[in-house]
Amino acid sequence: MGSFGFSSPALSLSLLNSPLSRIRIRIRTPNSRMATTLTETTVAHRSETPPGLDGDGDDDDLLCCDGQKRQRQENEPDSTLTPSFCSESPSRTLSLAAAESRVERAWAHWTRLGRPKLIVAPMVDNSELPFRMLCRRYGAEAAYTPMLHSRIFTETEKYRNQEFTTCKEDRPLFVQFCANNPDILLEAARRVEPYCDYVDINLGCPQRIARRGNYGAFLMDNLPLVKSLVQKLAHNLEVPVSCKIRLFPNLQDTINYARMLEDAGCSLLAVHGRTRDEKDGKKIRANWSSIKAVKDSVRIPVLANGNIRHMDDVHSCLAETGVEGVLSAESLLENPALFAGFRTAEWVVGSEDSSKDAKLDQADLLVEYLKLCEQYPVPWRMIRAHVHKMLGEWFRIQPQVRDDLNAQSKLTFEFLYGLVDRLRELGVRIPLYQKDGHVAEVLADSLAASNS
């Protein structure tokens, strides 16, 4: 695996323009609160413009540091599926010894990372660096970036600089791409390879935009292409390739799918326990028994995604499926302290006697998040979304405060800190709860981290 060293708190990635030739860089920078940026000359290609990059001047698409008088340091680079699973010809099938060696390497890598069990799932516009760092502060042991569009990532410097930032504390890290072209995927992956522990292929996005773009879960209709994507990365990267998938309606198809990915070179598999058509996670429970069946059918590490709302769910999922770790998404957006044992009031009903006010609430978490955004700038649209997620229940009590937020075409940190103060002055407080006795320890660790 390539080595990478830097001391700048955040790195916003772009590399010098190059074809598919391998680029290896080592960067060491002085300590800085701003993201280090490596510039490049980009090749003009016609491309789909992702949200926030259409150049229309929307204030929510500006970085939250734009307009502030900060000095940036420049540094030089040092619905029902009928899958067809193809069998390999003997000349292209990995030998048993090679397959065994690959599986051993997959486990050795996972072990070197400390075998993380509590993982932030990939969320478009939501699992960005400041949010990942907040979740790590409260127990998360690894994290995924938001899904990145591989072609736009290779073509557009602005997209790279805004959508992918990291720092030395942001590890272990999965960088996730959607793709339908193996060569473009490899070019994008090589740009992030020095800064992550896995390059992940999104094979699970069920949204309409994925159908239109022919990526995510809609590649389940084209398994030879899926296989070629995995093989391209596995044969050409030094970091392992991981995949995040959904279930087929038929369990055996899912098992065959997982085995195909493993044979193609996948070193870690994250399984969302719902099918492509099961999009409503609040109404449809994830199928842990199917995740267990996948776990039992492959030899590489497996992660489970779905139904992780609090730590009791974490323990139950690990016990029922036997997986190496769990991913949480929507529940973390509302409660980034989930992995530290904190839970929202709705998950305390029935256990009030064993739960207590943890002296922490979502407004406290939002303030911590905003401070991280000042340190690691991200587009305002991401910050706005997190404010709504963390304070959603508070806004139901004082909807006029939410209306004032929505009326702001341009956000500032001063306004957002003032919004929290206003809620408190109005007497709004919805505590988080804990069932164990580690509240003081967790809070002390968080306070130390926020003051460092």
Side-chain angles (χ1 to χ4, degrees), residues 262-279:
E262 180 183 48
D263 291 342
C266 178
S267 293
L268 179 142
L269 192 61
V271 184
H272 189 135
R274 299 181 178 91
T275 68
R276 190 171 72 188
D277 293 331
E278 295 173 336
K279 300 176 185 179

Side-chain angles (χ1 to χ4, degrees), residues 1 97-116 174 197-198 234 238-243 261-269 295 298-303 324:
M1 184 184 305
E100 291 289 348
S101 176
R102 180 169 42 77
V103 170
E104 290 173 359
R105 290 196 303 272
W107 279 104
H109 182 71
W110 187 243
T111 300
R112 283 194 298 272
L113 297 178
R115 297 194 174 209
F174 296 73
D197 301 287
Y198 289 91
E238 292 186 22
V239 297
V241 56
S242 60
C243 298
L261 294 171
E262 180 183 48
D263 291 342
C266 178
S267 293
L268 179 142
L269 192 61
K295 164 64 182 172
V298 298
R299 295 177 295 165
I300 56 176
V302 175
L303 307 177
E324 279 59 57

Side-chain angles (χ1 to χ4, degrees), residues 64-221:
C64 61
C65 66
D66 288 353
Q68 299 179 16
K69 295 182 179 179
R70 298 184 177 185
Q71 181 178 1
R72 179 178 299 272
Q73 291 185 324
E74 300 289 344
N75 298 275
E76 292 296 322
D78 167 46
S79 9
T80 298
L81 306 175
T82 53
S84 175
F85 294 90
C86 303
S87 59
E88 284 274 3
S89 63
S91 62
R92 298 189 62 182
T93 302
L94 288 173
S95 68
L96 179 60
E100 291 289 348
S101 176
R102 180 169 42 77
V103 170
E104 290 173 359
R105 290 196 303 272
W107 279 104
H109 182 71
W110 187 243
T111 300
R112 283 194 298 272
L113 297 178
R115 297 194 174 209
K117 286 184 168 60
L118 310 174
I119 302 166
V120 180
M123 295 172 279
V124 174
D125 271 1
N126 286 145
S127 60
E128 82 290 352
L129 177 58
F131 187 75
R132 295 196 300 269
M133 296 304 292
L134 178 63
C135 292
R136 291 180 191 274
R137 187 175 289 177
Y138 285 93
E141 298 168 347
Y144 285 73
T145 67
M147 181 193 75
L148 303 170
H149 192 297
S150 58
R151 179 176 55 76
I152 301 174
F153 193 84
T154 63
E155 294 175 352
T156 310
E157 182 182 4
K158 180 180 179 181
Y159 182 78
R160 287 191 296 275
N161 291 342
Q162 287 196 7
E163 306 302 317
F164 175 64
T165 56
T166 188
C167 64
K168 64 182 180 181
E169 297 85 6
D170 187 30
R171 305 294 282 268
L173 180 65
F174 296 73
V175 177
Q176 187 184 78
F177 289 103
C178 68
N180 54 31
N181 181 298
D183 291 329
I184 292 175
L185 175 60
L186 177 60
E187 183 178 358
R190 280 177 167 166
R191 293 176 181 269
V192 302
E193 183 179 14
Y195 317 119
C196 66
D197 301 287
Y198 289 91
V199 172
D200 186 79
I201 305 175
N202 182 323
L203 301 173
C205 180
Q207 303 304 322
R208 282 177 292 179
I209 190 172
R211 180 192 294 273
R212 292 196 300 269
N214 188 35
Y215 60 78
F218 297 94
L219 293 184
M220 296 166 77
D221 298 326

Side-chain angles (χ1 to χ4, degrees), residues 31-62:
N31 189 35
S32 168
R33 291 176 64 86
M34 295 300 296
T36 300
T37 302
L38 304 182
T39 60
E40 72 169 314
T41 302
T42 57
V43 179
H45 290 293
R46 184 177 180 181
S47 64
E48 301 170 4
T49 304
L53 295 177
D54 54 5
D56 63 359
D58 191 329
D59 288 318
D60 264 9
D61 295 325
L62 296 175

